[in-house]
Amino acid sequence: MTDSSSPSPLKTKKIYLNGKFVGEIPAEANALEDMRAGRELIQAKGLHKEITIEQSMYNQAFAFAKTSAELYERGLKTVPRDGNVLVPWIVNGAFSIEIYLKTLGKIYGAELRGHKLRSLFDELPNEARQAILDAVPESLAARGRKDEFDLANAISQINSAFVEWRYCYEVERTNSVSIEDVIVIMQSLHKACSSILK
């Protein structure tokens, strides 16, 4: 027989910040209340950091690039390639490139809009384009490449990839994509942004 007067155990939720355990909060039935309590716990532990819009954009670009890299490792790194991985890989990769370009635009005072990657690249201030170009040799070397790399042309090749490949089932044919070139572009953009936002 159980004692109905004894309190039931308090349910809690574990709170993590960037994959590290911070503490526990009482679990509420309301998700918004849980988020508020989690935020308060993070602030109380002195772990909350305000971030700029540029850092937030960079973090989002990195998240899509990381997802693309994980898909590459799982299904595109070796032959035969897993065709089911290609579409989400290119969509995540192209979207990360778009957000990285917009991040660099924001850092250098240009508000960029749209999904056309070549247009975004061309609208970047010269300093931003140079930051990307400066990162290309290291990205090529990391891939074991010694070839000439035309960044603007490589970006043109995937200009509309985010839009085209999301709905590739609606078109008869999509443009071809160089997996290696997309990786070099992503890595170069990541390096350009991270060197500025240290």
Side-chain angles (χ1 to χ4, degrees):
M1 185 166 196
T2 58
D3 181 3
S4 60
S5 64
S6 63
S8 60
L10 183 66
K11 291 185 179 182
T12 61
K13 285 190 177 180
K14 293 181 179 184
I15 302 299
Y16 295 86
L17 179 64
N18 297 326
K20 295 185 178 157
F21 179 71
V22 173
E24 294 186 29
I25 60 168
E28 301 291 335
N30 181 329
L32 290 175
E33 187 59 32
D34 288 344
M35 287 190 309
R36 183 198 57 73
R39 204 171 15 256
E40 286 177 359
L41 174 65
I42 289 167
Q43 288 171 337
K45 295 219 174 200
L47 300 172
H48 174 75
K49 288 191 270 184
E50 291 293 327
I51 62 171
T52 65
I53 185 70
E54 294 87 355
Q55 185 68 49
S56 183
M57 292 169 73
Y58 167 79
N59 291 347
Q60 188 172 358
F62 177 68
F64 283 103
K66 184 176 177 188
T67 299
S68 185
E70 289 170 0
L71 289 168
Y72 172 81
E73 289 294 324
R74 272 194 248 138
L76 299 175
K77 188 174 183 177
T78 59
V79 176
R81 293 187 167 122
D82 181 352
N84 292 318
V85 173
L86 184 60
V87 173
W89 176 81
I90 190 62
V91 169
N92 279 281
F95 198 41
S96 77
I97 290 168
E98 176 184 327
I99 300 171
Y100 277 133
L101 289 167
K102 290 176 178 178
T103 301
L104 283 166
K106 187 81 168 162
I107 289 168
Y108 287 96
E111 291 288 332
L112 305 179
R113 299 267 184 249
H115 299 297
K116 301 277 187 187
L117 301 180
R118 180 58 192 261
S119 297
L120 294 172
F121 178 73
D122 289 343
E123 291 171 22
L124 285 172
N126 290 334
E127 303 94 336
R129 279 198 304 276
Q130 190 58 52
I132 303 166
L133 290 168
D134 290 346
V136 167
E138 186 181 342
S139 299
L140 286 170
R143 302 297 304 163
R145 291 178 60 174
K146 295 179 175 108
D147 56 304
E148 290 293 319
F149 187 76
D150 183 340
L151 178 64
N153 184 56
I155 290 173
S156 292
Q157 296 300 311
I158 58 167
N159 186 48
S160 300
F162 177 65
V163 174
E164 286 177 6
W165 283 80
R166 281 184 307 171
Y167 303 110
C168 65
Y169 55 84
E170 293 179 352
V171 296
E172 194 172 304
R173 185 169 185 261
T174 56
N175 289 328
S176 63
V177 170
S178 166
I179 292 171
E180 283 297 318
D181 285 358
V182 171
I183 292 170
V184 168
I185 296 166
M186 278 192 291
Q187 288 178 343
S188 298
L189 286 163
H190 178 80
K191 289 176 195 321
C193 288
S194 63
S195 69
I196 298 162
L197 294 173
K198 295 177 193 175

